Amino acid sequence: MRRSYAVLAGAAGALLTGALALAVPASASSDGGDQGFTIKDPRITESSGLAASHLHPGIYWTHNDSNDGPYIYAVDSATGRTVATVTLSGIGTPRDVEAISIGPDHQIYVGDIGDNLGGKWPYVWIYRLPEPKVLKDQTIRATQYVVKYSDGARNAESLLVHPRTGRVYIIDKKEEGGHLYEGPAELSSTGTNVFEPVAVVDLWATDAAFSPNGRRLVVRGYFGGIDYDWNGGRIKRRGMLDVPLQGQGESVTYSADGSKLMYGSEGKDSAVVAKDAPGGGAGDSDATSQSGSSSGGGFGTATNGRLKTGAVAVAVVAAALFGLRRLRRRG
């Protein structure tokens, strides 16, 4: 992310405090699955990615955005405390780590795919390492992959790995909407991996995730989100997500059982908010997804009849969005 966003995060955080208290109940989801939690590690001040562990129930992997190092953190959702810090070896110096995803065979993928120069770096990196079987502070050797886009450099914050095929995808971050980029069938650690655009994504995307069965794709932004049928990569939009208002919403992941969507945000003592996953969590249900606006990049709104709350939230979000656009022009 651009450093100017941090300025907005402080201002937006202050503006959104009242709306958050109204729009997001203390327990955002009440039955089954993982619940929300607060990240309590003082080292984690820019949590930019989130991934549910495949080996350790209730554990979520996260990382800082930049100015940290080659680290990922295992956070216990029951307490919000870090139970393991993993140092990645065998890679260069991370530049702008924005996303984390877990693929088949318990492989963790870390996306060093942000571009603070707004799409000027000729390449970005992905790191892959096995999820540790034992949660303890340790160093694990990772494989580093060089990534380029077929249509030129760009900023991105969304990295996702299909849970069945293991294919890696990236969604670029553009205010007017971006594209889903598909990587090679198998990443090469010796050559350059060229990612090709395969579908339009109608959102200013900050993160994305596959359902555990790989049949659904969810994409979030700062103020809204979209639920898609994966449809073999020919994504088909189902509806809007009920994205919580957060000071700087940067991440989303399914819970391990697929019943919840976990939404994370940057900042000290940042909250991870749990919402019921669309389609009842199975990832392939015909049930209507959680709905807000029908517009492509619309604002996520609180549902269940909280009309006054929604009106307040939308007003605050509009102010925050206006400020962010002004910062982008000056950046």
Side-chain angles (χ1 to χ4, degrees):
M1 55 165 270
R2 293 174 183 238
R3 294 297 95 204
S4 60
Y5 291 170
V7 177
L8 174 66
L15 287 170
L16 293 174
T17 298
L20 280 168
L22 294 171
V24 182
S27 176
S29 53
S30 57
D31 6 322
D34 291 343
Q35 303 302 305
F37 59 97
T38 298
I39 297 175
K40 298 179 179 179
D41 191 330
R43 298 171 298 174
I44 305 173
T45 59
E46 291 188 312
S47 175
S48 292
L50 205 61
S53 170
H54 286 190
L55 295 177
H56 309 286
I59 297 297
Y60 287 83
W61 291 97
T62 190
H63 55 83
N64 280 310
D65 178 349
S66 55
N67 301 318
D68 186 12
Y71 311 117
I72 59 174
Y73 305 92
V75 179
D76 185 350
S77 62
T79 64
R81 301 190 182 280
T82 298
V83 294
T85 301
V86 172
T87 302
L88 281 62
S89 67
I91 65 173
T93 302
R95 191 161 51 189
D96 192 357
V97 179
E98 291 288 357
I100 188 167
S101 182
I102 301 180
D105 302 321
H106 313 304
Q107 296 293 303
I108 298 176
Y109 293 75
V110 180
D112 192 356
I113 56 175
D115 190 337
N116 286 334
L117 299 177
K120 303 296 184 183
W121 287 327
Y123 57 86
V124 291
W125 300 306
I126 294 172
Y127 314 122
R128 178 178 59 82
L129 68 154
E131 182 174 11
K133 295 180 180 179
V134 178
L135 290 176
K136 64 178 183 179
D137 293 351
Q138 58 191 294
T139 298
I140 298 179
R141 187 169 186 83
T143 302
Q144 179 168 315
Y145 302 102
V146 175
V147 170
K148 289 187 177 182
Y149 303 96
S150 62
D151 51 357
R154 59 204 53 251
N155 186 30
E157 295 188 4
S158 308
L159 171 82
L160 53 160
V161 184
H162 196 273
R164 298 290 175 85
T165 68
R167 199 153 194 163
V168 182
Y169 297 84
I170 293 173
I171 299 173
D172 62 342
K173 180 183 180 183
K174 300 180 74 173
E175 187 174 355
E176 64 274 19
H179 288 82
L180 175 74
Y181 285 80
E182 182 181 71
E186 292 187 14
L187 296 180
S188 169
S189 60
T190 57
T192 299
N193 298 275
V194 178
F195 279 58
E196 304 274 353
V198 294
V200 172
V201 174
D202 297 321
L203 196 71
W204 192 11
T206 61
D207 203 9
F210 283 115
S211 61
N213 63 11
R215 294 179 182 174
R216 282 178 112 132
L217 166 69
V218 294
V219 185
R220 78 158 298 174
Y222 290 120
F223 310 122
I226 303 176
D227 170 34
Y228 292 98
D229 273 327
W230 178 239
N231 196 29
R234 299 180 298 277
I235 59 176
K236 181 179 179 181
R237 177 172 171 158
R238 297 179 66 100
M240 299 298 293
L241 296 171
D242 182 18
V243 176
L245 290 174
Q246 295 174 303
Q248 189 164 340
E250 290 280 336
S251 57
V252 66
T253 187
Y254 276 85
S255 59
D257 67 357
S259 67
K260 307 294 181 185
L261 286 177
M262 311 294 285
Y263 294 95
S265 177
E266 285 196 5
K268 182 180 179 182
D269 297 325
S270 60
V272 175
V273 178
K275 293 278 190 175
D276 291 334
D284 56 355
S285 169
D286 289 331
T288 301
S289 66
Q290 301 174 66
S291 178
S293 166
S294 61
S295 61
F299 301 131
T301 59
T303 54
N304 302 323
R306 297 191 297 273
L307 298 180
K308 291 184 179 180
T309 296
V312 172
V314 168
V316 174
V317 167
L321 180 58
F322 175 76
L324 182 52
R325 283 176 172 167
R326 292 191 65 185
L327 283 175
R328 281 178 58 86
R329 294 190 192 107
R330 297 200 310 235

